[in-house]
Amino acid sequence: LSIDDLSYTLLYFQALKIDSTIGEVFPKPRKRESYTSTTPISRSSNNTFTPSYPNNIGIRPGPARYTCFGCGGNHRLSGCPEINSLLEKGLLHKDSIGRLVLPGGQELRRQGDETFVMAQK
């Protein structure tokens, strides 16, 4: 790895974030007018460019999407209104480690794509 490598620049600044004394030990990367990408750029079906790895690190395509195992909705199980309602009514309980169980303590099992609400019935 030489000081002229693009990966040196990336590693240098990542290390500098972790330990600010890195700048005292290792030389700063050389400044360039522009970097040329050695990674391919793919063209998606809607004619927009999608940079490939490593340019897309940390980029999310949009808001997070969840599939609730409780009811199948777009939220997490912990925020499921149907599961919370069943817990309040006493039709479901949580065991000592937080798993959903039936009132008698039996394990609540789902089959395939079945939700916990369907399995409880």
Side-chain angles (χ1 to χ4, degrees), residues 46-59:
N46 64 358
N47 217 17
T48 59
F49 288 103
T50 307
S52 58
Y53 183 84
N55 299 329
N56 60 357
I57 295 174
I59 297 174

Side-chain angles (χ1 to χ4, degrees), residues 36-76:
T36 56
S37 175
T38 57
T39 57
I41 295 177
S42 62
R43 188 180 288 264
S44 65
S45 60
N46 64 358
N47 217 17
T48 59
F49 288 103
T50 307
S52 58
Y53 183 84
N55 299 329
N56 60 357
I57 295 174
I59 297 174
R60 285 191 163 178
R65 306 257 181 221
Y66 301 106
T67 301
C68 176
F69 294 116
C71 70
N74 186 21
H75 51 260
R76 292 184 176 189

